Structures are given as C-alpha cells and as structure tokens.
Amino acid sequence: GLHLAQGALRYFSELCYQRRRQLSLIAFGNNHVQVLLPARRAPKDLEPVLSKIRAGGGTPIHQVLAEACVFLRNARKRFEKCNLYLITDGRFDSNVSETIEKCEAQSISIIDTEISRVRLARCKALAQTIGATYFHIEQLQPK
C-alpha cells in the first residue's frame, strides 16, 4: 500500500517538475489531515517529503472529501487549473453520498492502490458515486 502510494507521488511529482507545474501534497489518515508540501513548484527531489508519510487506518472519507473541496476552491483562487489526485487503497468507511458534487468532482481523480487478491473495489464505487475519474495504480506509466 504505502510504497505504491509513494510511487504514484513520485510519478506525479516528476510530471509536475518536468512541466513546471505547482504541486501540493496532503496526507490523510489516523483521523487527521497533514499538509506535507504547500502549493509550490514541484521539487526535483521528493524523498524528504515522502519520508514524512505514515501509513495508518482511520480515514473518514467524508472528512477527506470535504477537505479536498476546500483545497480545490482555495487553489482555484491562485491557479487557473487545478487537479486533485486522491491516492488510496480504499480502506475507508464506505458510507459515501453525493454531497461532493458541489466542488466539481470532475477535477478529482481517484488512484486505487488496492492490490489484494480479493478486492473491495471501494475506490471505483467512490469515483462512480461522486463523479470522479478512476484508475488503478497499475495504469500509471512508470518513468
């Protein structure tokens, strides 16, 4: 789980760095939100930031999505275009409603890192419920 999420973050960071884009990283877990990297030009070396990420359960998905909406609204004040990538293994409470519609879920992509043999498929269900884009971590092109 964690190493797959870190791999996805390296992938997006490298793309942002090459394209001279802004990047921000926010970690969700253990019932709290932590800004790991405020919005800024993507760093060449992401490893110091990645070392701060801790795997941990207890991800209340409603809180995560509410924070994502606030982040998107604030980011759009400074940046013309903003995309949010939610990287998760789907180990969150499955009680999801369509309340996120108001924050333009089309700007959200859910990247599923679930790799167990028997998959719960909560990420795909979440994406369908809120109208976000879904893809599995295996679909990312390695660099």
Side-chain angles (χ1 to χ4, degrees):
L2 179 59
H3 70 283
L4 288 175
Q6 289 175 332
L9 291 171
R10 284 183 193 97
Y11 171 83
F12 287 115
S13 180
E14 187 174 325
L15 282 180
C16 289
Y17 180 80
Q18 290 171 353
R19 296 175 182 171
R20 300 182 191 280
R21 301 270 167 86
Q22 299 282 317
L23 177 70
S24 180
L25 298 178
I26 304 167
F28 299 98
N30 294 318
N31 295 311
H32 75 280
V33 177
Q34 180 184 9
V35 176
L36 299 175
L37 181 71
R40 56 167 271 210
R41 186 163 174 220
K44 186 171 187 173
D45 181 15
L46 193 64
E47 294 311 310
V49 178
L50 294 181
S51 68
K52 296 177 186 175
I53 298 175
R54 301 285 175 254
T59 304
I61 198 62
H62 279 290
Q63 179 186 346
V64 169
L65 295 174
E67 292 284 343
C69 288
V70 170
F71 177 82
L72 280 172
R73 278 189 215 105
N74 290 335
R76 287 198 177 108
K77 293 174 187 173
R78 293 178 53 207
F79 308 108
E80 185 178 322
K81 186 175 180 185
C82 183
N83 295 307
L84 190 138
Y85 298 91
L86 177 60
I87 302 169
T88 179
D89 63 2
R91 304 284 183 213
F92 47 72
D93 55 43
S94 58
N95 182 18
V96 178
S97 69
E98 296 179 30
T99 55
I100 194 167
E101 284 178 26
K102 301 172 202 153
C103 89
E104 301 178 53
Q106 68 269 18
S107 297
I108 299 175
S109 295
I110 296 175
I111 302 163
D112 186 351
T113 61
E114 185 179 31
I115 56 169
S116 59
R117 202 167 4 139
V118 178
R119 296 184 181 177
L120 299 175
R122 286 183 174 164
C123 294
K124 187 174 269 188
L126 174 63
Q128 289 171 343
T129 299
I130 67 171
T133 303
Y134 167 88
F135 56 99
H136 194 273
I137 189 77
E138 295 165 346
Q139 293 173 276
L140 290 181
Q141 298 297 316
K143 288 280 173 196

